[in-house]
Amino acid sequence: MAGPEIHARRDGPVAGAGGASLDQAFGPDDLYALRAAVAAHAAHLGAPPERVAHLVIVAGELAGNAVRHGGGHGRLRLSRADGAVRCEVSDEGPGIPDPDAAGFRTPSVLALGGRGLFIVRRLATSMTIHNTGRGTTVTALVALP
């Protein structure tokens, strides 16, 4: 099996001099490598260690959701924008039934799953969900100090 497709760019959607962006396709076997790439690129984009950890969790939860609920694969894009690091995950799944309410309700401690978007909302400055006819894109911003 070929490894994940990775593109690191200096000319991509990066606000600020010297930043790099990440554009990486992933599948179920690529999540570890994806988290490692997010950590490296988030640090390069200027995120301090605590925010790098937040971005790795955010990216991991969103990518895991794409694998489980969004068709088994997706694409992650990481860039710097307006004093934050932007993490965007797209998939080709059926979409989130109520995107405006997703992740706001505290999951039961007895629930076996269903915490991903809740965690992302707690760690990110903002999160938007956009369902299209061809999948879902979730964008989370993690503020830089």
Side-chain angles (χ1 to χ4, degrees), residues 49-101:
E50 178 183 293
R51 299 301 163 90
V52 170
H54 289 179
L55 283 156
V56 169
I57 293 167
V58 164
E61 292 295 337
L62 295 178
N65 281 350
V67 167
R68 277 187 294 283
H69 309 292
H73 61 276
R75 178 167 293 280
L76 181 139
R77 292 174 184 88
L78 198 70
S79 59
R80 184 155 180 186
D82 301 324
V85 175
R86 181 177 184 263
C87 179
E88 177 185 287
V89 174
S90 301
D91 65 43
E92 296 177 359
I96 296 172
D98 188 0
D100 294 329

Side-chain angles (χ1 to χ4, degrees), residues 11-12 23 36 39 44 47 54 58 60 66 74 98 107 111 130-131 139 143:
D11 61 345
D23 183 356
H44 186 79
H54 289 179
V58 164
D98 188 0
H130 181 68
N131 289 327
T139 305

Side-chain angles (χ1 to χ4, degrees), residues 57-66 68-69 87 89 91 95-107 113-131 136-140:
I57 293 167
V58 164
E61 292 295 337
L62 295 178
N65 281 350
R68 277 187 294 283
H69 309 292
C87 179
V89 174
D91 65 43
I96 296 172
D98 188 0
D100 294 329
F104 281 108
R105 193 173 56 184
T106 304
R115 292 177 180 81
L117 295 178
F118 178 79
I119 291 168
V120 171
R121 286 209 189 269
R122 296 312 165 278
L123 295 176
T125 306
S126 68
M127 181 179 85
T128 58
I129 301 169
H130 181 68
N131 289 327
T136 301
T137 299
V138 180
T139 305

